[in-house]
């Protein structure tokens, strides 16, 4: 609930519930109050704690079990057939901070027909804060490193605070858990490296989580380094 909540998150959750087996909370209702302008999403209550809170007390075996569940969820997420564009559901512009603009200007916020157009948008976003000589230097780097990727449905903010973990009763002596992925506001159709870069660069001060990421997501080292440059300009 709140002014920062968008109905897009509810749409993403409903899309995933209909088109995949990705573990997400069930949405019962979503609406915007015309008087307060606040958005409300009424969804399933989840037992357990988020992974950020749980991580310090987990054993290595428990961490491995949870990593496997998250990896399975991401694999399922990426199995959804992609459309012929890059953007959010139904050809909407991105809400991700890399592409966000006041009024969601299509030149920067999308949607995009291909990755080349997306790269042009990244350069345009960087042009808002960087000098033209630096932009000329970056343009070739962006085009050489951020290309040729599959389009996949992407969470957009995969980090431990957005993963609910419920410990279940063990049947065979080993740990059993149920996970649910939360906070799908920024989700959409992105190049395949996007979640890895988000999950690492944005969480660089969360060592317990960074230790798990290689067991959950495919790694994209070159793209990671390029996106560090992009993030440093856009966010820091």
């Amino acid at each position: 609930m709140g002014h920062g909540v968008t109905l897009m998150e509810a749409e993403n959750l409903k899309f995933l519930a209909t088109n995949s087996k990705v573990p997400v909370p069930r949405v019962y209702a979503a609406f915007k109050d015309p008087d307060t302008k606040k958005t409300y999403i009424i969804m399933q209550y989840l037992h357990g704690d988020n992974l950020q809170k749980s991580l310090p007390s987990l054993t290595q075996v428990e961490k491995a079990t949870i990593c496997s569940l998250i990896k399975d969820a991401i694999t399922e997420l990426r199995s959804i057939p992609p459309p012929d564009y890059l953007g959010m559901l139904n050809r909407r512009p991105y809400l991700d901070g890399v592409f966000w603009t006041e009024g969601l200007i299509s030149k920067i916020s999308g949607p995009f027909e291909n990755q080349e157009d997306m790269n042009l948008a990244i350069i345009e976003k960087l042009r808002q804060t960087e000098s033209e000589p630096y932009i000329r230097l970056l343009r070739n780097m962006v085009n050489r490193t951020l290309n040729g990727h599959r389009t996949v449905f992407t969470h957009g903010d995969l980090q431990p605070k957005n993963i609910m973990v419920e410990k279940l009763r063990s049947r065979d002596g080993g740990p059993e858990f149920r996970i649910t992925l939360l906070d799908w506001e920024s989700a959409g159709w992105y190049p395949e490296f996007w979640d890895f870069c988000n999950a690492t660069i944005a969480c660089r001060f969360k060592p317990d989580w960074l230790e798990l990421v290689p067991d959950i997501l495919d790694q994209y080292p070159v793209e990671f380094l390029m996106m560090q440059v992009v993030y440093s300009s856009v966010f820091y």
Side-chain angles (χ1 to χ4, degrees):
M1 176 191 78
H3 295 291
V5 177
T6 70
L7 291 174
M8 192 72 237
E9 179 167 6
E11 288 190 43
N12 285 331
L13 289 169
K14 291 177 181 178
F15 171 79
L16 290 167
T18 301
N19 295 279
S20 77
K21 296 180 181 178
V22 176
V24 297
R26 187 179 301 111
V27 174
Y28 298 117
F31 59 93
K32 187 170 186 176
D33 188 301
D35 297 322
T36 65
K37 307 302 181 185
K38 289 184 178 180
T39 298
Y40 295 81
I41 301 177
I42 302 170
M43 63 181 73
Q44 172 189 6
Y45 176 81
L46 298 172
H47 296 278
D49 290 310
N50 67 52
L51 184 57
Q52 184 165 298
K53 183 177 179 180
S54 303
L55 260 177
S57 63
L58 294 174
T59 67
Q60 288 302 118
V61 173
E62 289 173 330
K63 289 178 182 178
T65 301
I66 292 169
C67 281
S68 180
L69 292 172
I70 302 171
K71 184 175 182 177
D72 288 346
I74 297 301
T75 299
E76 173 69 12
L77 184 67
R78 294 183 169 209
S79 71
I80 303 173
D84 59 352
Y85 70 92
L86 290 155
M88 301 188 79
L89 283 182
N90 302 316
R91 287 188 176 270
R92 289 192 177 96
Y94 285 122
L95 298 179
D96 185 285
V98 171
F99 302 104
W100 190 88
T101 56
E102 190 71 42
L104 299 177
I105 301 168
S106 60
K107 185 178 182 180
I108 297 177
S109 301
F112 308 110
E113 294 301 316
N114 49 54
Q115 203 168 347
E116 289 75 18
D117 289 346
M118 173 183 271
N119 289 347
L120 287 174
I122 291 174
I123 292 298
E124 284 301 314
K125 183 62 179 275
L126 297 182
R127 186 173 271 119
Q128 295 178 350
T129 55
E130 304 295 348
S131 69
E132 196 56 36
Y134 189 50
I135 291 299
R136 286 197 297 270
L137 180 68
L138 287 180
R139 184 184 293 112
N140 186 49
M141 295 182 187
V142 168
N143 288 331
R144 290 182 64 181
T145 56
L146 307 183
N147 67 79
H149 298 96
R150 292 186 301 131
T151 298
V152 296
F153 201 76
T154 298
H155 182 280
D157 193 17
L158 189 66
Q159 53 177 303
K161 70 176 184 178
N162 293 330
I163 303 169
M164 284 293 290
V165 178
E166 179 187 0
K167 191 167 187 177
L168 306 175
R169 182 177 299 176
S170 176
R171 297 178 182 177
D172 57 4
E176 290 192 24
F177 297 91
R178 177 185 292 119
I179 66 156
T180 308
L181 304 186
L182 310 176
D183 195 3
W184 292 85
E185 178 182 346
S186 299
W189 302 104
Y190 293 79
E192 60 190 291
F193 63 82
W194 205 266
D195 262 339
F196 173 74
C197 293
N198 253 321
T200 49
I201 299 172
C203 297
R204 64 193 185 283
F205 300 123
K206 298 179 180 179
D208 288 348
W209 167 246
L210 293 177
E211 180 185 347
L212 305 183
V213 170
D215 295 324
I216 296 171
L217 296 167
D218 292 336
Q219 298 182 59
Y220 297 86
V222 174
E223 295 85 345
F224 169 86
L225 294 173
M226 187 70 255
M227 290 304 295
Q228 273 194 317
V229 175
V230 173
Y231 274 48
S232 68
S233 177
V234 173
F235 298 116
Y236 308 118

